[in-house]
C-alpha cells in the first residue's frame, strides 16, 4: 500500500530540508530523487546537508538524469574545494558524456588551476571527442597543455 503524504513549507526549515534530503537518497525511485534534487537546487538552501546530499547523488546515483540534476544544484557550491574535487572525479569516471561535459562546465566557471593534473590525466583517456574537446578548452583556459609531463 502506498500512501501519499503532502508536506508544505520552506526548504530553509530544518525538518523540511531533512525530508527533501532523504528523498535524494531514496533508492527505490529515481523520480523522487530527481524531484528532491530539483527542490533543493531551486530553494537556495546553502547548507552542508544539502551540499553533501547533492555531492553524494552526483557521485553515486545510478541515473544519469539524477546526476545531471545534482550538478545543477551544485552550482551554488562550485567554489567549495570538496565539490570541485568531486567534479574533477566525475570528469574522470562518469559513464555519461553529458554529465562529464556539464561537470567540465562547472569547473571552467571557476578557473581553478588545482584541477589541471586530474584533467590532463582524464583527457588522455577520454574516448568521446566532444568531452575531450571540452577538456582541452578548459586546460587551455587554465594555461595548461593537454599532455602531462
Amino acid at each position: 500500500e502506498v500512501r501519499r503524504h503532502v508536506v508544505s513549507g520552506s526548504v530553509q526549515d530544518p525538518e523540511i530540508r531533512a525530508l527533501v534530503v532523504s528523498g535524494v537518497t531514496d533508492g527505490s525511485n529515481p523520480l523522487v530523487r530527481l524531484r528532491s534534487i530539483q527542490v533543493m537546487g531551486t530553494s537556495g538552501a546553502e547548507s552542508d546537508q544539502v551540499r553533501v546530499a547533492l555531492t553524494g547523488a552526483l557521485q553515486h546515483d545510478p541515473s544519469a538524469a539524477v546526476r545531471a540534476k545534482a550538478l545543477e544544484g551544485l552550482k551554488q557550491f562550485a567554489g567549495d574545494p570538496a565539490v570541485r574535487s568531486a567534479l574533477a572525479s566525475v570528469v574522470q569516471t562518469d559513464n555519461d558524456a553529458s554529465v562529464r561535459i556539464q561537470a567540465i562546465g562547472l569547473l571552467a566557471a571557476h578557473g581553478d588551476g588545482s584541477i589541471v593534473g586530474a584533467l590532463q590525466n582524464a583527457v588522455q583517456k577520454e574516448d568521446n571527442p566532444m568531452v575531450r574537446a571540452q577538456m582541452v578548452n578548459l586546460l587551455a583556459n587554465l594555461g595548461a597543455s593537454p599532455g602531462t609531463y
Side-chain angles (χ1 to χ4, degrees):
E1 175 182 335
V2 175
R3 286 193 270 169
R4 185 178 182 142
H5 184 79
V6 177
V7 177
S8 63
S10 167
V11 178
Q12 304 298 337
D13 178 322
E15 290 179 19
I16 300 294
R17 185 172 45 240
L19 286 172
V20 174
V21 166
S22 72
V24 173
T25 59
D26 180 346
S28 64
N29 191 334
L31 292 176
V32 169
R33 296 191 309 270
L34 195 62
R35 182 66 180 132
S36 297
I37 289 170
Q38 185 176 9
V39 167
M40 280 194 299
T42 60
S43 72
E46 291 189 27
S47 75
D48 285 340
Q49 188 179 26
V50 170
R51 179 185 50 79
V52 168
L54 291 173
T55 303
L58 172 64
Q59 293 180 303
H60 305 294
D61 200 281
S63 168
V66 171
R67 294 191 309 275
K69 189 58 77 174
L71 279 165
E72 289 178 24
L74 283 169
K75 286 179 185 176
Q76 64 186 328
F77 301 105
D80 181 283
V83 171
R84 296 185 62 68
S85 176
L87 292 171
S89 175
V90 164
V91 167
Q92 295 177 72
T93 62
D94 199 278
N95 63 359
D96 187 272
S98 65
V99 171
R100 293 194 308 276
I101 287 172
Q102 194 175 350
I104 292 166
L106 275 179
L107 289 168
H110 288 275
D112 179 3
S114 69
I115 61 165
V116 167
L119 276 174
Q120 287 173 326
N121 288 331
V123 77
Q124 301 302 319
K125 299 173 187 170
E126 182 59 55
D127 293 332
N128 185 301
M130 290 181 61
V131 176
R132 186 175 171 82
Q134 291 291 322
M135 289 177 177
V136 169
N137 286 338
L138 177 52
L139 284 165
N141 289 340
L142 294 172
S145 69
T148 57
Y149 303 99

